[in-house]
Amino acid sequence: MNVNEAIDLLKHNGYKATGKRKDILDYFSEQDGYRTAKDLITHLENDNETVSFDTIYRNLHLYKEMGILETTELNGEKHFRMNCAKHHHHHFICNECGRTKAIDVCPMADVKKSLANYAIEGHKFEIYGLCPNCQNN
């Protein structure tokens, strides 16, 4: 999803596309990987913007609920990234820098065989480690 698609989705669902909302979307669209709310706040403060923690967290939650942002948990903290789902895939996530790499394999075919009598309502499959960049540092 790009910033314009996200803004269109906000407007379609009755939300205003304020400057702060666009700034948040711009930040995540420029990132290569997952970032924390603290990363976002630091970025906005570096741009000399006044930052309300409530506004940041409320918008992050809204974007997650609308499918604009994806979330994961790393080191006990929630991380966000722009939703890149053009097709079903999973991610390798670097524990050091948060960068991601799409993985096009999904283990669900085998899992469904093992859980034939269960009603699966969703799944999440992520692999964690160090990217080549972080391994070399």
Side-chain angles (χ1 to χ4, degrees):
M1 179 172 299
N2 65 38
V3 173
N4 290 331
E5 291 169 332
I7 289 172
D8 289 345
L9 184 60
L10 284 169
K11 289 178 181 177
H12 179 75
N13 285 282
Y15 294 95
K16 293 180 181 177
T18 64
K20 189 69 72 195
R21 285 187 172 148
K22 186 173 182 317
D23 291 344
I24 293 169
L25 292 170
D26 286 338
Y27 172 76
F28 282 105
S29 72
E30 295 166 1
Q31 300 305 308
D32 179 20
Y34 285 92
R35 299 291 178 252
T36 65
K38 184 179 177 181
D39 295 333
L40 170 62
I41 291 166
T42 300
H43 168 77
L44 294 174
E45 287 174 342
N46 286 341
D47 287 345
N48 295 317
E49 294 188 42
T50 56
V51 180
S52 159
F53 293 109
D54 288 341
T55 299
I56 296 301
Y57 284 100
R58 190 172 43 255
N59 280 293
L60 290 175
H61 179 72
L62 172 66
Y63 293 164
K64 184 207 179 293
E65 291 299 311
M66 294 183 74
I68 294 169
L69 295 179
E70 300 174 346
T71 62
T72 194
E73 194 163 312
L74 293 169
N75 304 316
E77 188 174 10
K78 191 166 279 205
H79 286 61
F80 303 85
R81 69 172 268 141
M82 199 69 124
N83 189 341
C84 61
K86 301 278 189 229
H87 65 284
H88 182 79
H89 67 280
H90 300 283
H91 292 112
F92 169 88
I93 304 169
C94 180
N95 284 323
E96 186 70 28
C97 68
R99 285 192 183 106
T100 62
K101 178 166 178 30
I103 303 168
D104 290 324
V105 258
C106 180
M108 286 308 293
D110 292 331
V111 171
K112 286 179 181 178
K113 291 176 191 173
S114 299
L115 298 172
N117 295 325
Y118 293 81
I120 298 170
E121 295 178 347
H123 72 279
K124 188 173 187 174
F125 178 68
E126 295 173 337
I127 298 173
Y128 302 95
L130 296 176
C131 69
N133 246 9
C134 291
Q135 288 178 57
N136 293 330
N137 291 337

